[in-house]
Amino acid sequence: LGWLTALEPPAALSGAALTQAEITTVVMYDFTRLVNPQLVRDGAYPLLDTLAAYCSGLPAFADTRPLATVDQSNPSLEKISG
């Protein structure tokens, strides 16, 4: 993920429409933090954190975010518990 931080800040953070690449990146980043959070320590990728925080406030993201927690000993999507 480190190479993503070397890129220019996403235009979406300045009010432009999200690109498919930005949407895919945030979905992957959020999924990784949900299922295997030890892979992404807090503050390691500030640009991704900012983009993910921005997106989490958008209805398309907020309405589809899992409300449950993941069993870290078996992070299968089938094992999401609430």
Side-chain angles (χ1 to χ4, degrees), residues 3 6 8 14 16-17 29 31 38 40 44 48-49 53 63-64 68 71 74-76 81-82:
W3 67 272
E8 292 293 318
S14 299
Y29 191 60
F31 179 79
Q38 66 273 15
V40 183
L48 291 175
D49 289 335
D63 293 348
T64 59
D71 176 359
N74 183 12
S76 166
S81 60

Side-chain angles (χ1 to χ4, degrees), residues 4-67:
L4 289 170
T5 62
L7 300 176
E8 292 293 318
L13 296 178
S14 299
L18 285 166
T19 67
Q20 184 61 54
E22 292 162 348
I23 293 167
T24 302
T25 299
V26 169
V27 169
M28 174 278 307
Y29 191 60
D30 282 347
F31 179 79
T32 301
R33 293 188 302 174
L34 179 68
V35 174
N36 211 343
Q38 66 273 15
L39 293 178
V40 183
R41 67 185 189 283
D42 289 341
Y45 306 103
L47 185 60
L48 291 175
D49 289 335
T50 301
L51 182 60
Y54 168 78
C55 289
S56 71
L58 300 173
F61 283 83
D63 293 348
T64 59
R65 182 154 179 82
L67 299 176

